Amino acid sequence: MEQKAKKQKLLRDYGYPEKAIPRLMEEISSMDYEKLEKLILPYNDITSAKS
């Protein structure tokens, strides 16, 4: 699987909103998959802290 597809799958698996994925993909375009995997949190973990 190519890097871009792996990154999109990771964002979807982590629960990021579908509308946000294109913008996030632009922001993480220069980042390799392994670094991204270690850096981001599942979307629900991020949003639950704001409640």
Side-chain angles (χ1 to χ4, degrees), residues 11 15-28 43:
L11 292 172
Y16 284 80
E18 205 56 43
K19 288 182 178 181
I21 290 178
R23 181 184 54 82
L24 291 168
M25 288 299 294
E26 286 180 27
E27 292 180 20
I28 63 173
Y43 185 75

Side-chain angles (χ1 to χ4, degrees), residues 11 13-17 20 24 41-50:
L11 292 172
D13 289 349
Y14 273 24
Y16 284 80
L24 291 168
L41 293 171
Y43 185 75
N44 291 333
D45 289 355
I46 296 168
T47 57
S48 67
K50 293 182 180 181

Side-chain angles (χ1 to χ4, degrees), residues 2-42:
E2 76 172 72
Q3 288 284 318
K4 183 177 178 180
K6 286 174 64 174
K7 290 176 185 178
Q8 288 175 333
K9 182 177 181 334
L10 180 67
L11 292 172
R12 287 186 179 102
D13 289 349
Y14 273 24
Y16 284 80
E18 205 56 43
K19 288 182 178 181
I21 290 178
R23 181 184 54 82
L24 291 168
M25 288 299 294
E26 286 180 27
E27 292 180 20
I28 63 173
S29 64
S30 64
M31 199 178 296
D32 69 359
Y33 178 81
E34 289 75 24
K35 182 175 180 180
L36 176 66
E37 192 174 32
K38 292 176 185 175
L39 198 69
I40 68 170
L41 293 171

